[in-house]
Amino acid sequence: MISLSHKFRLLCTFSIVGVLLGLLSGCAAMPQPGMLVPDVRDKLGAPALIIQTDEGVNWFYPSGPLGTTTVAVSINREGVVTRVRNVLTDDQIQTLTAGSTADEVLAAIGPPFARVRFDNLRATAWDYRYQDTWGYLVDLSVMIDDANRVTGRVLHRIQADGSH
């Protein structure tokens, strides 16, 4: 007999597989290196955030409220896509250390889905959700103080049953 928790895990596994298949089928819609700016706008629309870089610009496309990906499209000065990647990853998040600037956070992982002010801490939590290396959903808050510096990160892994 299959236990209820085992059934739930199977359901979650099949759901994740379905989402992954949907993402893979959508890969053709993602910009590719060598594309031009008008093609990127045709495929993805206007970016949520544009960051100037030494090589050109990075355009950021969050996957929506509480989405688990933010796609960064790097575009050189000639208007040609040079790189496309998801920036909401464990590796990118590990680069955000105490003392990093708010601009460095935006350049590393893009815009948050929410900003929550904590007057008693004189800081604002920039909130993100992403899928970690092991496939768990994680709520991430990057704490930004009034000097626009990271004071810390708070991560809460969301279990399959929705609990933290």
Side-chain angles (χ1 to χ4, degrees), residues 117-128:
R117 177 71 186 165
F118 293 92
D119 286 328
N120 59 329
L121 300 175
R122 291 188 296 271
T124 301
W126 289 12
D127 294 334
Y128 300 84

Side-chain angles (χ1 to χ4, degrees), residues 25-142:
S25 67
C27 285
M30 292 302 293
Q32 302 296 318
M35 292 179 95
L36 301 176
V37 166
D39 299 323
V40 175
R41 283 198 185 271
D42 287 347
K43 287 185 177 293
L44 299 179
L49 176 68
I50 298 173
I51 300 279
Q52 297 292 324
T53 68
D54 291 339
E55 297 79 30
V57 295
N58 284 334
W59 287 4
F60 291 89
Y61 292 91
S63 62
L66 295 179
T68 59
T69 61
T70 294
V71 173
V73 179
S74 298
I75 301 168
N76 66 19
R77 289 194 176 102
E78 290 75 40
V80 178
V81 172
T82 58
R83 187 174 175 200
V84 179
R85 67 207 176 281
N86 175 31
V87 293
L88 284 181
T89 65
D90 285 330
D91 289 340
Q92 277 294 100
I93 290 162
Q94 293 304 316
T95 68
L96 307 176
T97 58
S100 298
T101 67
D103 287 343
E104 289 170 333
V105 173
L106 289 173
I109 61 174
F113 73 80
R115 295 176 192 211
V116 180
R117 177 71 186 165
F118 293 92
D119 286 328
N120 59 329
L121 300 175
R122 291 188 296 271
T124 301
W126 289 12
D127 294 334
Y128 300 84
R129 178 170 284 177
Y130 75 102
Q131 190 170 20
D132 70 13
T133 303
W134 298 273
Y136 288 95
L137 289 178
V138 177
D139 283 335
L140 164 69
S141 292
V142 180

